[in-house]
Amino acid sequence: MRFGHLAGRFFGALSPRPPRSVDVAWVRSVCTDDEFAVWSRQPAHDRRHSVAVARRVQAALAGTEFADDPRWIEAALLHDIGKVDARLGLMGRVGATLAGSVAGHDLADAWSQRRGITRRVGLYLRHPEIGADRIRRCGGSDEAARWAAVHQTPARHHEADLPDVVVAALVAADDD
Ligand SMILES: [Fe+2]
Ligand SMILES: [Fe+2]
């Protein structure tokens, strides 16, 4: 199951197909100009993941009191934006994920102070806090920043202080 999931992600990620232009326009309408500039620097598979997660959140919240609030869409679109700093390719990400699960994420801080591939693995493992920082520096919403900071750690989801319905939608939508 886990392997099949990873393999699917791996081969899907090889596609250079960009998101549809209607989706890119949607991202631009939800994000600040600075956020959109960073979002656009991501590899195509990360942009597609971002849009897919946000469309699922949009569908999940449709008809609720949380529909049409751009902060939840922004949170979905930018949850993984911190990955852009690691500039890790697919194999690097597989290695980083393994290294993180073997050595523990506590080492990521130290690794990100090093150089070369070690630094990039450390940055990748720290993508939640790095993403939150980026969102804030880009003038994004505090809700989106708070979600980015904790999205990878279920025990910390409550720290984002978002409505339960929104958190449930964000969690269910993220398939990586
Ligand atoms: Fe993530
Ligand atoms: Fe994700």
Side-chain angles (χ1 to χ4, degrees):
M1 159 72 194
R2 184 79 190 137
F3 178 78
H5 174 78
L6 279 176
R9 287 279 297 163
F10 184 86
F11 291 109
L14 295 176
S15 163
R17 176 173 52 84
R20 301 175 303 164
S21 55
V22 60
D23 289 325
V24 175
W26 185 49
V27 176
R28 188 192 279 276
S29 75
V30 169
C31 293
T32 69
D33 288 350
D34 287 345
E35 283 177 327
F36 182 72
V38 178
W39 183 88
S40 300
R41 280 175 36 206
Q42 298 178 107
H45 59 90
D46 286 335
R47 279 176 278 142
R48 294 197 310 267
H49 173 65
S50 157
V51 166
V53 170
R55 286 295 186 197
R56 283 181 212 122
V57 167
Q58 181 186 44
L61 296 181
T64 75
E65 61 182 303
F66 306 105
D68 302 323
D69 186 328
R71 291 175 301 176
W72 317 134
I73 302 302
E74 179 195 0
L77 286 170
L78 300 179
H79 72 279
D80 276 334
I81 196 69
K83 289 183 180 178
V84 78
D85 289 279
R87 291 183 297 108
L88 268 189
L90 284 178
M91 291 311 292
R93 290 179 182 201
V94 172
T97 303
L98 284 174
S101 61
V102 171
H105 284 226
D106 293 350
L107 280 170
D109 257 350
W111 287 345
S112 62
Q113 312 296 327
R114 303 269 296 276
R115 301 199 326 200
I117 187 69
T118 307
R119 169 177 166 75
R120 286 156 65 179
V121 167
L123 289 175
Y124 182 79
L125 294 174
R126 292 178 59 208
H127 77 265
E129 57 175 293
I130 291 170
D133 186 54
R134 273 204 171 276
I135 291 168
R136 291 200 171 94
R137 281 188 287 138
C138 288
S141 76
D142 201 57
E143 287 82 356
R146 297 201 306 265
W147 178 248
V150 302
H151 78 274
Q152 204 76 33
T153 313
R156 294 185 57 203
H157 283 173
H158 66 280
E159 293 175 29
D161 201 23
L162 305 186
D164 291 343
V165 173
V166 173
V167 170
L170 287 163
V171 169
D174 193 3
D175 61 350
D176 70 358

